[in-house]
Every structure is written in structure tokens, then in C-alpha cells.
Amino acid sequence: MQPRLQRRVQRHGWDLAAADYEPLWQTQLAAAHDELIARAALTTGERVLDVACGSGLIAFRAAGAVGPRGRVVGVDLSGKMVDTAWQRAAQHKVRNVRFERMDAEQLSLPDASFDVALCALGLMYLPDPEQAVREMRRILRPGGRLVIAVWGERARCAWSALFPIVDAEVASDVCPLFFRLGQGETLAHACADAQFEAIELRRVATTLTWANADAACRAAFAGGPVALAWSHFDEVTRARVRQRYVETIAAWWCDRGYRLPGEFVIVTATVPGDGQAITATNPGESPGQLKQRTGEPACHSSTSN
């Protein structure tokens, strides 16, 4: 898919998801969000950028952590997601956060203007995620911190069959290379190539729970490019796609509902703090300070419903 087309698909898909994505996925993503916030170690007065902020789940948590003397900027490609975040800020009277529609690969923000950059499960959707990492490096001050969360290995995410099922009904892949950044040390290498240091990678096993097939399917078809494809399917196609997806997750039925294993990858990194020129790391070279801790999926079952 051409990058320009991919961005358009993402923008329209997340516009469609703006109303439903948070109630359907907030609980399922809590493990990744909690780990990201914990590892960010935000302090009072810091300046924070939340990239691919969606409706503001991470941005509002960051705003509470940095307090009234700090500031948080959330950016997202979806105008409706940004509007939703602004509405929530007004509703809850959060005054130290603002939201802007912006492409993560071309941030319209000054160099070295933030202390911390966060990106929670948005990098996988970009045509050039490495460029987005370089942009986050650019806007961070010396000593600034980066924390990124992505989905992990495809084999450890039981819902991953969703993409080929939808792809079979459309002209092109709805989300090419979605799991690439979760493979091995790929995301850590991207940070090293962008001249970050003190890079650490952690794998977090999780379990996605849904009470029944209807809930599982509503969540599956609510987000981004899948939502856009789903919106164009007729009823016959929807029924076929839904049935195929239910069949793929049948093995994860556990007594009272579905318990699908999943995995997140969390990477933290730091901008060199001395302000001196940085020696570029060779592409693909493992940084000396890289630490990797792996985990296994939290739940698996071979019992069919």
C-alpha cells in the first residue's frame, strides 16, 4: 500500500472508531498503558508529548502526573479522535493538556521542546514508524525520555488472525506489517538507529477477555483500518467474516468467556544528555545497554466452546 493511501485509510478508519474504541478496548489495553506510565516515571512540571493519542487515555494520565505546572500535548492523525479528546478535557476541566491533529511522521513541533515522548500502541499503524521514532527523538531535549508500547509477536497474540480474514475480502492489506515492530528487538534497534541510548525492552504478557462472541467481534472490528473495511462490507460479507473470526478464537473459550493471550512490547530510551555529537549506531546493531526480558502468554486453552 502506498504511504499516502495508508495514511488516508488510517485516518478514516480511526475517525469511524472514535466513539466506540475506548469503551471496547480500554480494559484490554490496561496492562500496556499501566506499564508505559510506570516506566515513564513522570514528575511534576514536565513537558510530555503523547503521539497517536486517540481519545486521550494516556494523555490524561500524563496530565495528572505532571500536575498544573506541567503540560501535555496529544497528537493524532484522526480529527474525530482529537475532537473526542478535547471534549473529554473540557468535561473534566483538565487545563494542562491540549490536542492537535498531526502526522506522527512529521511533527509540527519545535526541536528539543519536550521532556518525555510517549506512544501507546500507535506506531504499528504508520507507513514509516522509524521516521516517527526519529521525529520523537528530534522534539526531545537532551536527557529526554521515550516510552513506546506496541503489540508483540504475532504468534503470541491470539486475535492476529483477524487481519488475514479481513484482507481476504479487500483489495489490499488493511494493516501491512502490523506485527513487525514486536518481533525480536526490532523496536529497540529503531531507537538505537535514531540515536537514543539506555535502551531497554520488556515483553508483557496479557489476556484479552470478552464475555461472548458478540463482544469479541465488536471489539475486533472497531479499530482503525479494520473498521474502515468493515464499514464497506455488506451484510453477507460481514456474516462471513464474523463467522471466520469466531472460528479462529474458539480454542480460547474458557468457561465464562473468551480468554485470548496477547503480548505487548514496551521500549524505553533516553536522549544523550551531554549535548555532544552522537556516534551513529549501525543499523541492526544491538546497543550495549539493551536489556530484554521476555514473558509468556498469560492464558491459553485448547478447549473449544
Side-chain angles (χ1 to χ4, degrees):
M1 187 183 295
Q2 292 295 317
R4 184 175 180 181
L5 175 59
Q6 187 174 343
R7 293 186 190 96
R8 186 183 309 130
V9 168
Q10 295 291 348
R11 184 176 73 251
H12 291 309
W14 289 111
D15 280 350
L16 289 170
D20 298 326
Y21 190 75
E22 184 173 318
L24 289 172
W25 279 96
Q26 182 174 6
T27 299
Q28 312 297 351
L29 303 181
H33 289 176
D34 291 348
E35 183 72 14
L36 182 142
I37 289 294
R39 293 174 70 79
L42 302 173
T43 60
T44 300
E46 287 192 309
R47 302 159 296 174
V48 180
L49 176 66
D50 180 14
V51 175
C53 66
S55 58
L57 286 173
I58 290 295
F60 288 114
R61 292 182 65 170
V66 301
R69 293 196 306 166
R71 66 180 176 93
V72 177
V73 178
V75 300
D76 200 281
L77 193 63
S78 165
K80 289 193 176 180
M81 283 290 192
V82 169
D83 290 344
T84 299
W86 271 119
Q87 291 166 9
R88 290 187 62 202
Q91 179 183 358
H92 297 287
K93 297 181 172 59
V94 183
R95 296 183 173 85
N96 63 336
V97 62
R98 77 173 195 269
F99 299 95
E100 298 183 22
R101 184 179 176 276
M102 199 176 297
D103 185 348
E105 296 172 44
Q106 293 182 317
L107 296 172
S108 301
L109 297 166
D111 294 356
S113 55
F114 289 88
D115 301 297
V116 184
L118 308 174
C119 184
L121 303 169
L123 209 61
M124 310 85 56
Y125 297 102
L126 304 181
D128 188 351
E130 286 80 5
Q131 171 59 22
V133 173
R134 290 191 292 270
E135 277 291 272
M136 286 185 273
R137 167 69 173 79
R138 179 184 64 78
I139 59 86
L140 285 170
R141 63 163 175 80
R145 310 188 302 285
L146 173 73
V147 190
I148 298 175
V150 299
W151 286 98
E153 297 275 359
R154 178 189 290 269
R156 295 177 180 174
C157 295
W159 55 271
S160 60
L162 172 68
F163 291 127
I165 290 171
V166 175
D167 289 344
E169 305 290 344
V170 296
S172 61
D173 292 353
V174 294
C175 203
L177 303 177
F178 181 89
F179 290 98
R180 178 174 68 86
L181 294 173
Q183 294 177 351
E185 299 177 359
T186 301
L187 183 55
H189 291 315
C191 293
D193 293 342
Q195 301 182 358
F196 283 95
E197 65 178 18
I199 300 165
E200 296 188 14
L201 184 152
R202 176 176 174 79
R203 294 187 178 274
V204 178
T206 191
T207 303
L208 310 179
T209 62
W210 286 284
N212 50 49
D214 181 63
C217 287
R218 283 191 293 113
F221 302 116
V226 173
L228 182 61
W230 181 259
S231 71
H232 292 294
F233 290 162
D234 58 28
E235 290 304 317
V236 173
T237 304
R238 287 189 177 191
R240 179 171 60 248
V241 168
R242 185 183 187 281
Q243 180 60 33
R244 288 175 179 172
Y245 181 62
V246 170
E247 289 172 357
T248 67
I249 64 174
W252 307 105
W253 177 265
C254 300
D255 297 331
R256 298 182 180 179
Y258 293 95
R259 301 292 184 268
L260 275 66
E263 182 183 67
F264 303 115
V265 169
I266 315 288
V267 166
T268 59
T270 304
V271 177
D274 58 11
Q276 301 301 312
I278 306 166
T279 302
T281 303
N282 292 330
E285 179 180 295
S286 182
Q289 292 173 291
L290 177 65
K291 299 177 183 178
Q292 182 173 7
R293 295 181 293 276
T294 61
E296 294 301 323
C299 172
H300 59 86
S301 171
S302 60
T303 302
S304 299
N305 182 17

